Amino acid sequence: MLSPDSPRARRTLVLGGARSGKSAHAEGLLDGLTPEAPVRYVATARRYPDDRDWDARIDQHRRRRPTSWSTVETGHDGSLVDLLSAPGPHPPTLVDDLGTWITGELDDADAWDAPRGTIAARTDGLVGAVASYPGRLLLVSPEVGMGVIPEHRSGRLFRDEIGALNSRLADVCDDVILVVAGIPLTLK
């Protein structure tokens, strides 16, 4: 088992706005791995009946990934924390993305009108799982809050929750990269 301090055990947070290229950049960071270390792609998005646009976005991500990568979908069962906390093996893992994960957590807790912090136990669990993950881990997350304050409470809640989660994850990750217009900027 790799120690969390091993170079192969680096934890990287890749942030960016919608359509910034953050997912493609994170995928590129895993290029060149040997076949003995197949990548595990953890998809957090949920599919919704009759949302063909969303399905097309998910399929676009799927087509871009190498066929040798395995895909684990955690969107409807909320098992991301369990997956990252499970005993080995710990293959190189890319989680895409934490915005859809936190949306699912808010949905599952029926927390859109609840006080902020209602899903704190789940976000605490994720931060702990990331901090102790003993393999190579990349997390993709939307960077929010750089513009207009959302008009609706749900938009403000999402912005606040993902912003707080991103800050906590940046603290436990070895590297933090912000992708703007397809250009990666190393923050940490």
Side-chain angles (χ1 to χ4, degrees):
M1 178 160 99
L2 294 172
S3 125
D5 299 324
S6 164
R8 291 185 54 211
R10 292 191 77 76
R11 293 166 296 274
T12 302
L13 176 61
V14 180
L15 302 166
R19 306 314 243 186
S20 63
K22 62 188 177 294
S23 294
H25 180 75
E27 292 164 9
L29 292 174
L30 294 172
D31 281 348
L33 291 179
T34 63
E36 297 83 49
V39 171
R40 175 175 59 183
Y41 182 96
V42 180
T44 63
R46 297 176 178 194
R47 290 188 185 262
Y48 298 99
D50 301 324
D51 191 339
R52 287 183 284 190
D53 178 64
W54 189 244
D55 282 343
R57 286 173 180 256
I58 291 171
D59 291 340
Q60 176 188 22
H61 278 249
R62 183 172 291 222
R63 283 190 307 274
R64 189 174 61 215
R65 294 191 298 268
T67 57
S68 61
W69 290 14
S70 66
T71 299
V72 177
E73 294 186 0
T74 64
H76 284 289
D77 64 13
S79 63
L80 177 60
V81 173
D82 295 336
L83 182 103
L84 296 178
S85 301
H90 299 99
T93 299
L94 189 153
V95 177
D96 195 2
D97 93 351
L98 297 179
T100 55
W101 177 80
I102 209 163
T103 297
E105 293 297 316
L106 289 164
D107 284 346
D108 292 347
D110 196 22
W112 290 104
D113 293 315
R116 281 168 175 71
T118 299
I119 61 168
R122 295 301 289 168
T123 57
D124 290 350
L126 180 62
V127 172
V130 168
S132 62
Y133 190 78
R136 180 72 172 106
L137 179 63
L138 287 100
L139 305 164
V140 176
S141 189
E143 180 56 38
V144 297
M146 298 176 83
V148 176
I149 295 173
E151 177 181 355
H152 300 284
R153 183 186 190 285
S154 58
R156 292 187 299 271
L157 176 67
F158 176 83
R159 179 206 56 198
D160 293 351
E161 292 285 352
I162 198 71
L165 178 61
N166 286 346
S167 293
R168 293 181 64 205
L169 289 171
D171 190 46
V172 299
C173 283
D174 303 293
D175 307 299
V176 179
I177 299 166
L178 175 65
V179 179
V180 178
I183 301 169
L185 306 165
T186 301
L187 304 178
K188 175 182 174 184

